[in-house]
Amino acid sequence: MTGNSTIPLKRFARRRPHVGSYEQETAKSAPKLELNTRIREYFNTAPNPSAPAYLSHREVPTSEEISVAANDEAEEEVEVPANQVIGPWESKQRYLSDHYALLREDAVTPLRNVVSEMKAEPYVLEKDSVEHSYIYEKVFITGLTFAHGGVAARVTFSLRRAGKKILWEQSKRLAQGTLIALSTAQDMFKTLNPPEIDIFFGSPDEIEIDPQQEWVMVESSIGYFEAYRHTLLSLQKIAAEPFPLAEYIVGVQREISPPWYLRQQSVKDLSSLFPTTDNRRSLIDLLHEWPDQAVPRGSAPSTTAASLDASQLNALRRVLTKELAIIQGPPGTGKTHVSVLALKVLLQNKRHEDPPIIVSAHTNHALDQLLRHVNSFEPEFIRLGGRTTDKEIIEPRTLFNVRQATKLGVVPRGMKGPALSVMRKLVKDMQQLLRPFTEGVPLSETVFKEYGILTDGQCQLLIKGAESWVDLTLPEGITTAISKWAGEELIEANRRTLPEDFGFDYEEMDLEYEQLKELEAEGKLASDEEIDGLRGERICFNEPLTGPETRHVDFESLLKDDLWKVPAGLRGSLYRYMQQKVKRAVLQKMRALAKVYGKCSKDLVIGKWEHDTNLLQAANIIGCTTTGLSKYRGLLDSLKPKIVLIEEAAETLEAYVTAACFPTLEHLVLVGDHQQLRGHCNEPELEGDPFFLDVSMFERLVRNQVGFTQLIRQRRMHPEIRRGLMPIYPNLEDHESVRLREPVPGMGNVRSFFFCHQWHENHDQLMSKINSGEALMVVGFFNYLVNNGMKPKDITVLTFYNGQRKLIMRGLKAHPNLQGETFKVVTVDSYQGEENGVVLLSLVRSNKNNTIGFFFAHDKVICYQHCSRDLACGHYCSEACRAPCKCPCDNRKSKNPLLNPIRLSPSQRQTTAHVPPSHGDTRGRTDIRRSSPPKQQQHLSLNKHPSLSLSPPKRPSCQHHPQDLIATTPLAQGFRDFAAGGHRLTDAVAVATANDLAAQEHLRRLDEENAAMLFGGGGGGDAGDETAALASRTNELTLTGTRQARDGGVRNTYSGFFSATTQQQQQQQEGEREGKKFVEKSLLD
């Protein structure tokens, strides 16, 4: 799709083959269905006149919400409440209203910023936009689609301001669910009418039908409104419902009670955990007894629980016995494993009349991962919505496929049939109403008479005068009296965007397309919903002629007389005036019909859910993402769920978890780790003091000391890598299995390696940070590991920047030694929860200002470190490691306690460091405790929303570089102690091992060369090839010098360590050669 393209703002999917009427085919053999009225009650709750104002806000933001002043002097401030992250909230309503306001602000801010920029600079190009704007001009509405989801508009537009041709299948532009603003080309956002969601207008009162009106359309490349939309609606619904678990969520009560259903019957069957030797049930009173060992007396020696450590057993007990169970799982400690075991027990004790158990996760990937585990003991689960890549296990269990495979009849007194019947009639009425603008001829005198613009007498005079009038200038087939009257004053009105080619190159393909699809999946209608939501009859506007625009003429006075008396020069302008009056009258009627149509669309959703609730009620486990919890909340609420389990709860914004608090909820399980990734906000300012929107419910409750259990034994990382997390997780222990890992080929016994350089960063065309020198080094090191026996699939490259990710991917694909291989090069955020044998991390940042970007967020550091099983190699570049401090800490507040200034003596500074191996464990010598909250946080008023920060106390100024300046937090102190001596033993061993291996390799190659010289003459071509191969391999690792070491020994220096051939080394830039010299010097030192 190039240049000007006619596409809908919501992409239309191909319809699946639909054979016959599904209801008719299955009605005879289908079981009798029941009508669940809870869905209607959920949607049709009468508004309370005295309710807070936010409950009456509509789904799509109004033009006032995204309107801002056009100049800085008159800039308006948006009032946003502070977030209460320490201590209890004063009330349920205050909690809900403030979170609603914060979340809505985060959803609207990106588009508001774009509109503000357009007002200040109406002709700005995309490449010059500082607000990440996507701008489309010459936008014309070409038709309407009467879809099941509502009345939709199709538009054409120009991409001139983009400066690129767009590959739509790989582009983030106009993704379904994006919030878009339209303004007339003349107005240029001085006023906004209308805002638009997808291809649907924000309200029936804002629908536009004039195909001649030119618009300008903008969207923000930041954020995704559809993901917020349903959660905002859920918060409004909860305000009028009972709020279960409010004593913990709102009141932060620390002691947690058992679930109500457990208090009624506390004896449960735990045979799935502790099977007995005689296959009898293991009945245990969960409120009064719990096995104090993995294999209790009378159990079979080989039990599921036997593989659990003590912390996992404690976590399992908390999940089963607390109505709000919070489980913190550091990297590799088995969070999902505990969740799965808990689901087994809950399912084993589920009665037939009990509602399904709801399981959820922040991402589709994590949800599918959890459901694959569930499939082993409950294959009849149902997955709601979203996109799945698992075609074998998960896709057959989506609601759509289950519905197709299950013969169900028609719900008695259901709303689906009546809604469809009314919608069909409304479509015919709207088509008839719009017919004058679709026939391809000028409006006739009959149309003007119908809308009261001309009288019957004026029409008769027009017809009588036109009978003897022949106008050869009119197109063939246009014979109406009004056309003959206007004559050659009519002008061509076809103002559709014409095909254009500015000679632009194609926009660079976004290799993060799958990440976009992950985000888009829950907002997107899945499978059947996508077909039904966009299926419908379509009309195209065809208005060929109009008149010239003339101002300062009293057209109303001209309409009072015989139109033949109007001067010929004004007839075209008068026709245009009458044409616009007809459009306004039609538009008013069209909006009224669209309002009724929108009500029927909602009734249709209710009718479909009345059908689906019969399927879901028979399931034992239902899965959906946290966005799906909001999107399908009315459907899930009809099932009266009692138990909800949420994975990745710590990286989910609080409002998404609040949406899971159904009125019937008795048991909520939150599993995650607040010390890893946090939730993502569109507006960075909302992440800091005093809003803390990125602080999840999980983190807030843990920091308020609401009861939780932490898992402490990890089974993923080699101990050497795990020690890098000691300042974050001081109590984290290693399972025996991780100590038996084979060493990484080519790395000696080194498991964790940090490389520091001085190659400066840059940015690509999309303003994403890149570092070409670092990318080349990563590619070379990747090739080195492959040459030493690693498989490419066992190596993952992580980076914080998409530009760097694409640069590294191109380098790997272009490398001659890696042709045909598949590579894992991803961003840190998208790799959360994944793992691989070797992880290479490219941090990119290296600049004179000593800014380090995303590395400020220590949760991302943790995410990176725990991804690696065997080798973690970090490449970080900043002059700060050797250059004098330039004091950025005085004017920058850090939320990361790891980044407080640490002044080390010259002997303590290291440019290359290794995490100590197992024989150098320093945990016993490092006492790391979390400091108590500052006094001002311990005595907070519980009746106010404090403006406080989770950041450490303000750091002292380093302007004068005092040598005795020390870290101000325990985390930084831990890293300081570690760097002060914990690495030395490993460095010494690594250097000695590397030198020994290099010497042995050099001697081996000399022996092979001598053998080739002695015996190669009689070997013909084979010997010649072998000699050439040996010479080639010799070039890969060459001895360049010998120096005297400090301990009296000899140290050899080798080059070519990170390059494949000598020829490639010669082609590297001067900065890369300097970096290589630095590496050699670091190893020697």
Side-chain angles (χ1 to χ4, degrees):
M1 203 171 289
T2 62
N4 298 322
S5 306
T6 304
I7 66 166
L9 302 187
K10 178 176 281 188
R11 293 167 183 165
F12 284 72
R14 294 182 179 178
R15 290 182 55 182
R16 298 187 178 183
H18 193 75
V19 182
S21 170
Y22 180 70
E23 288 85 354
Q24 293 176 0
E25 289 179 2
T26 60
K28 295 182 180 180
S29 59
K32 184 178 180 181
L33 303 184
E34 296 181 358
L35 174 65
N36 190 328
T37 59
R38 284 182 63 90
I39 299 176
R40 300 184 189 184
E41 295 170 1
Y42 182 87
F43 279 95
N44 299 324
T45 303
N48 184 354
S50 61
Y54 81 95
L55 296 182
S56 62
H57 289 177
R58 71 181 197 183
E59 297 179 39
V60 182
T62 63
S63 59
E64 290 76 16
E65 285 186 83
I66 60 175
S67 296
V68 291
N71 54 75
D72 294 337
E73 294 180 359
E75 185 175 358
E76 301 175 6
E77 292 187 357
V78 179
E79 294 185 2
V80 182
N83 192 4
Q84 180 85 11
V85 292
I86 301 295
W89 288 77
E90 64 182 39
S91 67
K92 161 194 167 182
Q93 286 299 338
R94 183 64 179 270
Y95 169 83
L96 292 173
S97 63
D98 285 6
H99 273 283
Y100 180 92
L102 287 166
L103 194 66
R104 192 170 181 94
E105 180 63 21
D106 195 43
V108 173
T109 295
L111 186 60
R112 183 192 295 130
N113 292 340
V114 169
V115 170
S116 176
E117 182 180 50
M118 286 295 295
K119 285 184 175 182
E121 301 181 57
Y123 305 104
V124 65
L125 300 178
E126 285 187 8
K127 66 181 182 64
D128 300 321
S129 171
V130 298
E131 297 295 345
H132 307 284
S133 306
Y134 289 151
I135 309 169
Y136 314 94
E137 57 185 20
K138 296 188 181 301
V139 179
F140 294 99
I141 298 173
T142 62
L144 297 178
T145 300
F146 305 107
H148 285 181
V151 179
R154 178 166 286 196
V155 299
T156 58
F157 52 88
S158 169
L159 293 168
R160 184 187 69 85
R161 297 208 200 184
K164 294 286 183 181
K165 298 177 184 178
I166 308 301
L167 292 168
W168 290 104
E169 287 303 317
Q170 285 84 28
S171 177
K172 295 188 293 185
R173 295 171 179 267
L174 300 178
Q176 180 181 321
T178 301
L179 189 64
I180 296 171
L182 288 174
S183 177
T184 61
Q186 297 80 13
D187 185 77
M188 288 304 291
F189 293 95
K190 294 177 183 176
T191 59
L192 289 175
N193 184 27
E196 185 176 333
I197 183 69
D198 293 335
I199 61 171
F200 301 107
F201 292 93
S203 166
D205 295 333
E206 295 173 336
I207 287 178
E208 295 290 342
I209 61 171
D210 189 354
Q212 306 307 322
Q213 178 62 61
E214 180 180 350
W215 303 85
V216 174
M217 179 171 67
V218 296
E219 65 168 317
S220 173
S221 62
I222 300 174
Y224 184 58
F225 178 74
E226 188 74 357
Y228 290 83
R229 176 187 176 194
H230 302 289
T231 304
L232 291 169
L233 283 173
S234 297
L235 293 178
Q236 291 176 317
K237 291 291 184 183
I238 295 174
E241 299 174 348
F243 193 173
L245 308 180
E247 61 269 32
Y248 313 111
I249 297 173
V250 177
V252 294
Q253 177 180 311
R254 295 179 178 179
E255 295 299 324
I256 304 176
S257 303
W260 174 254
Y261 69 85
L262 188 62
R263 281 178 266 174
Q264 302 300 307
Q265 174 54 267
S266 61
V267 177
K268 300 297 178 181
D269 182 7
L270 299 188
S271 56
S272 61
L273 287 177
F274 311 110
T276 59
T277 53
D278 53 1
N279 294 325
R280 291 184 303 173
R281 294 198 303 169
S282 297
L283 298 179
I284 296 177
D285 188 341
L286 295 182
L287 296 184
H288 300 94
E289 58 179 315
W290 181 260
D292 56 358
Q293 54 185 344
V295 185
R297 192 178 310 169
S299 298
S302 177
T303 67
T304 301
S307 62
L308 301 178
D309 58 57
S311 66
Q312 289 175 324
L313 278 173
N314 290 334
L316 196 55
R317 181 180 186 181
R318 177 173 291 277
V319 170
L320 297 176
T321 61
K322 300 298 182 181
E323 57 184 343
L324 175 60
I326 303 176
I327 307 301
Q328 182 197 1
T333 53
K335 297 185 291 293
T336 301
H337 183 59
V338 172
S339 298
V340 171
L341 292 180
L343 287 173
K344 276 187 178 181
V345 174
L346 293 171
L347 189 61
Q348 188 176 21
N349 291 273
K350 179 180 177 294
R351 300 173 301 175
H352 176 73
E353 63 272 18
D354 287 339
I357 299 171
I358 311 299
V359 299
S360 182
H362 179 60
T363 61
N364 283 282
H365 174 77
L367 175 62
D368 288 348
Q369 207 171 39
L370 178 61
L371 291 178
R372 278 192 289 271
H373 290 293
V374 169
N375 181 71
S376 63
F377 58 88
E378 178 49 48
E380 300 301 314
F381 65 88
I382 293 181
R383 189 197 198 281
L384 293 183
R387 168 185 299 263
T388 177
T389 57
D390 190 329
K391 306 299 181 182
E392 182 179 351
I393 297 176
I394 308 299
E395 187 173 24
R397 299 306 305 170
T398 59
L399 178 58
F400 171 70
N401 286 319
V402 171
R403 188 191 301 127
Q404 295 286 61
T406 307
K407 293 184 178 181
L408 291 180
V410 178
V411 177
R413 303 184 308 280
M415 297 186 69
K416 180 178 179 180
L420 284 173
S421 178
V422 175
M423 290 174 74
R424 293 189 192 102
K425 182 180 183 302
L426 288 170
V427 168
K428 293 180 180 179
D429 293 343
M430 288 186 282
Q431 287 176 329
Q432 182 64 32
L433 182 65
L434 297 171
R435 187 178 300 278
F437 306 111
T438 64
E439 295 177 330
V441 296
L443 299 180
S444 67
E445 57 276 7
T446 305
V447 174
F448 292 127
K449 176 184 174 181
E450 178 183 353
Y451 287 97
I453 298 172
L454 295 179
T455 64
D456 183 66
Q458 287 176 310
C459 290
Q460 294 298 327
L461 290 174
L462 268 176
I463 295 172
K464 184 177 180 180
E467 289 177 350
S468 58
W469 188 273
V470 177
D471 192 342
L472 300 179
T473 63
L474 289 175
E476 184 179 355
I478 298 180
T479 59
T480 59
I482 199 76
S483 302
K484 293 180 179 180
W485 166 77
E488 61 183 8
E489 292 299 316
L490 294 180
I491 61 175
E492 185 176 357
N494 189 357
R495 298 184 61 184
R496 293 186 182 182
T497 312
L498 300 176
E500 56 191 20
D501 186 351
F502 299 108
F504 295 148
D505 295 329
Y506 278 101
E507 183 179 47
E508 185 175 4
M509 186 175 68
D510 189 355
L511 297 180
E512 290 293 304
Y513 178 64
E514 286 304 320
Q515 283 185 268
L516 168 69
K517 289 303 179 185
E518 167 67 40
L519 183 63
E520 189 179 346
E522 278 308 325
K524 186 173 184 176
L525 300 171
S527 297
D528 59 324
E529 294 176 285
E530 184 173 331
I531 296 171
D532 289 342
L534 297 175
R535 181 173 58 191
E537 297 187 44
R538 179 174 178 247
I539 61 171
C540 295
F541 294 127
N542 186 5
E543 195 176 39
L545 299 175
T546 187
E549 186 175 4
T550 303
R551 300 180 180 179
H552 310 299
V553 176
D554 186 4
F555 291 110
E556 286 296 328
S557 62
L558 295 178
L559 286 174
K560 295 178 181 179
D561 300 324
D562 182 358
L563 294 187
W564 287 105
K565 296 181 181 180
V566 176
L570 291 178
R571 291 181 183 181
S573 299
L574 180 58
Y575 174 84
R576 181 187 182 94
Y577 177 76
M578 294 189 296
Q579 187 184 47
Q580 293 299 323
K581 289 193 69 173
V582 171
K583 288 180 180 179
R584 286 193 290 270
V586 169
L587 180 61
Q588 186 175 0
K589 292 184 177 181
M590 179 67 192
R591 287 176 172 175
L593 290 174
K595 188 173 184 178
V596 179
Y597 192 88
K599 174 64 169 59
C600 290
S601 295
K602 187 172 76 170
D603 291 344
L604 181 59
V605 172
I606 295 174
K608 290 178 180 178
W609 284 4
E610 288 173 344
H611 183 276
D612 292 337
T613 189
N614 288 273
L615 282 173
L616 296 177
Q617 189 66 56
N620 286 320
I621 293 181
I622 298 173
C624 62
T625 63
T626 50
T627 302
L629 283 174
S630 298
K631 180 176 181 179
Y632 300 102
R633 192 173 188 275
L635 177 59
L636 295 173
D637 177 75
S638 69
L639 305 174
K640 301 181 180 180
K642 294 181 179 180
I643 303 174
V644 176
L645 183 147
I646 302 178
E647 286 251 336
E648 296 181 325
E651 56 182 287
T652 304
L653 297 182
E654 178 153 356
Y656 290 80
V657 179
T658 305
C661 294
F662 303 97
T664 55
L665 183 68
E666 297 180 12
H667 192 179
L668 177 62
V669 182
L670 304 180
V671 182
D673 183 11
H674 61 285
Q675 293 178 287
Q676 295 184 46
L677 292 181
R678 278 182 170 180
H680 171 72
C681 298
N682 295 331
E683 175 54 53
E685 291 185 7
L686 293 177
E687 296 179 352
D689 184 359
F691 307 114
F692 303 114
L693 183 58
D694 59 331
V695 176
S696 63
M697 178 189 293
F698 185 105
E699 179 176 358
R700 180 173 65 86
L701 296 179
V702 168
R703 293 191 181 279
N704 280 277
Q705 300 180 23
V706 175
F708 73 101
T709 298
Q710 182 185 34
L711 306 177
I712 62 172
R713 180 167 294 183
Q714 67 91 16
R715 293 165 168 81
R716 179 179 298 166
M717 298 166 284
H718 188 276
E720 180 179 336
I721 302 174
R722 188 268 307 154
R723 287 186 185 85
L725 300 179
M726 283 173 50
I728 313 295
Y729 304 103
N731 299 321
L732 191 60
E733 300 174 355
D734 300 320
H735 190 264
E736 293 77 8
S737 60
V738 299
R739 302 178 183 273
L740 306 177
R741 298 260 169 84
E742 294 293 329
V744 178
M747 294 303 297
N749 198 32
V750 174
R751 302 279 183 168
S752 182
F753 178 77
F754 297 87
F755 174 69
C756 187
H757 62 75
Q758 290 182 301
W759 303 321
H760 278 208
E761 68 190 46
N762 207 326
H763 57 78
D764 62 10
Q765 294 180 347
L766 300 177
M767 303 307 293
S768 180
K769 298 294 183 183
I770 60 174
N771 192 309
S772 56
E774 184 170 304
L776 184 62
M777 186 269 184
V778 171
V779 171
F781 190 56
F782 190 107
N783 179 59
Y784 168 79
L785 292 173
V786 172
N787 284 339
N788 279 272
M790 288 293 298
K791 296 180 180 179
K793 68 180 182 65
D794 296 330
I795 306 174
T796 295
V797 180
L798 296 181
T799 182
F800 295 123
Y801 297 94
N802 194 34
Q804 183 76 353
R805 194 191 69 82
K806 291 185 283 188
L807 189 63
I808 294 173
M809 178 66 83
R810 285 198 297 268
L812 290 171
K813 289 184 176 181
H815 198 286
N817 194 43
L818 302 173
Q819 296 299 303
E821 299 288 353
T822 301
F823 309 104
K824 296 179 182 178
V825 186
V826 294
T827 56
V828 170
D829 287 358
S830 66
Y831 205 62
Q832 168 73 349
E834 299 289 332
E835 62 180 49
N836 208 348
V838 173
V839 173
L840 309 181
L841 175 67
S842 175
L843 296 179
V844 178
R845 304 308 300 270
S846 177
N847 52 72
K848 296 180 179 179
N849 298 324
N850 296 328
T851 56
I852 59 176
F854 289 122
F855 198 65
F856 244 54
H858 80 283
D859 50 5
K860 297 180 185 291
V861 180
I862 298 167
C863 173
Y864 136 67
Q865 284 196 278
H866 89 259
C867 294
S868 176
R869 295 167 56 89
D870 299 319
L871 173 66
C873 182
H875 309 279
Y876 170 59
C877 40
S878 173
E879 293 182 354
C881 59
R882 289 174 300 280
C885 176
K886 298 184 179 179
C887 191
C889 54
D890 279 342
N891 44 30
R892 181 174 66 231
K893 291 184 178 180
S894 167
K895 291 184 292 184
N896 179 5
L898 305 183
L899 297 175
N900 282 284
I902 305 174
R903 301 298 299 175
L904 303 177
S905 64
S907 62
Q908 292 174 321
R909 297 176 189 167
Q910 298 291 331
T911 56
T912 304
H914 307 285
V915 179
S918 56
H919 59 268
D921 196 333
T922 59
R923 280 195 304 150
R925 303 194 304 271
T926 306
D927 184 16
I928 302 176
R929 298 186 178 90
R930 299 198 177 276
S931 58
S932 58
K935 292 183 179 180
Q936 63 268 26
Q937 294 187 14
Q938 295 176 355
H939 303 285
L940 292 174
S941 171
L942 304 185
N943 298 321
K944 296 182 179 180
H945 290 253
S947 296
L948 57 91
S949 173
L950 294 182
S951 308
K954 186 176 180 181
R955 295 169 288 179
S957 171
C958 57
Q959 181 176 1
H960 303 292
H961 311 300
Q963 296 300 318
D964 57 346
L965 184 60
I966 60 173
T968 58
T969 67
L971 296 179
Q973 183 64 44
F975 275 116
R976 179 186 180 219
D977 296 341
F978 182 74
H983 64 279
R984 292 176 180 173
L985 178 59
T986 305
D987 282 347
V989 172
V991 170
T993 302
N995 281 317
D996 182 57
L997 290 175
Q1000 293 180 25
E1001 175 68 11
H1002 186 60
L1003 290 174
R1004 185 187 63 80
R1005 292 187 177 185
L1006 288 177
D1007 290 341
E1008 290 179 353
E1009 290 176 1
N1010 291 333
M1013 294 173 61
L1014 289 173
F1015 305 107
D1022 292 341
D1025 293 343
E1026 183 180 356
T1027 304
L1030 287 171
S1032 174
R1033 288 199 299 268
T1034 304
N1035 284 333
E1036 296 176 9
L1037 192 62
T1038 306
L1039 179 65
T1040 58
T1042 302
R1043 301 183 183 180
Q1044 192 73 20
R1046 297 175 182 174
D1047 58 1
V1050 176
R1051 293 292 183 268
N1052 295 329
T1053 306
Y1054 295 90
S1055 64
F1057 193 76
F1058 298 109
S1059 301
T1061 65
T1062 304
Q1063 183 180 4
Q1064 288 178 336
Q1065 296 172 7
Q1066 295 173 351
Q1067 293 176 348
Q1068 290 179 343
Q1069 299 177 358
E1070 181 63 25
E1072 297 162 9
R1073 290 198 294 270
E1074 291 297 325
K1076 194 176 301 180
K1077 293 178 182 179
F1078 169 70
V1079 175
E1080 295 171 1
K1081 181 178 182 300
S1082 299
L1083 289 173
L1084 286 172
D1085 292 342

